[in-house]
Amino acid sequence: MGGEPNRGRVGDTGAVPHWSALITSVAVVGVLALLLRWAYGGKQRSVVERRPRVGRADDYGLMVSVASPGTFIEGEVSRRRLETAGIKAQLVTTTEGPRLMVLDEDEARARRVLATS
């Protein structure tokens, strides 16, 4: 910016980069390669989301099944009905088909909401 104009020959690429800059560049690329390998490599080490595992209806810990919809569309309609009533619900895929799951303490209320509609 306020320095002398380039007085070199046409086609002159300038000075070769200093060796420390070259080593630093190679080190940065190596670290990035290791980071990508850690993020995307291996089944146990990957931080990238995997496809969910299909389990039984009783494999969901504190959640209990309150409905067994015939299709995912019916299940989504029921899930939204529960959410409108203030009940947190999940539509999950189980080995027995789709299930509508709620927390254990909301089970009775969820069954009442689903029975009235």
Side-chain angles (χ1 to χ4, degrees):
M1 301 254 169
E4 280 188 32
N6 186 2
R7 297 193 190 269
R9 295 183 313 230
V10 175
D12 188 12
T13 59
V16 175
H18 194 265
W19 64 270
S20 63
L22 182 63
I23 291 176
T24 303
S25 301
V26 169
V28 167
V29 169
V31 168
L32 289 175
L34 289 174
L35 181 65
L36 288 173
R37 181 178 171 146
W38 171 75
Y40 292 100
K43 293 182 179 182
Q44 300 298 324
R45 300 174 308 188
S46 178
V47 294
V48 179
E49 184 176 348
R50 290 182 204 77
R51 297 186 87 163
R53 180 181 66 85
V54 176
R56 297 184 326 264
D58 59 348
D59 285 345
Y60 288 88
L62 298 175
M63 300 189 89
V64 293
S65 176
V66 292
S68 303
T71 65
F72 284 98
I73 295 172
E74 292 173 9
E76 185 62 23
V77 169
S78 298
R79 186 189 68 78
R80 289 186 183 201
R81 191 178 315 136
L82 291 175
E83 284 191 349
T84 302
I87 301 170
K88 292 182 181 178
Q90 288 284 344
L91 181 61
V92 299
T93 303
T94 66
T95 53
E96 297 90 21
R99 295 291 186 261
L100 193 60
M101 310 290 273
V102 297
L103 290 174
D104 191 31
E105 63 262 12
D106 294 332
E107 179 181 8
R109 197 168 125 221
R111 289 187 189 277
R112 280 194 306 270
V113 168
L114 292 174
T116 59
S117 301

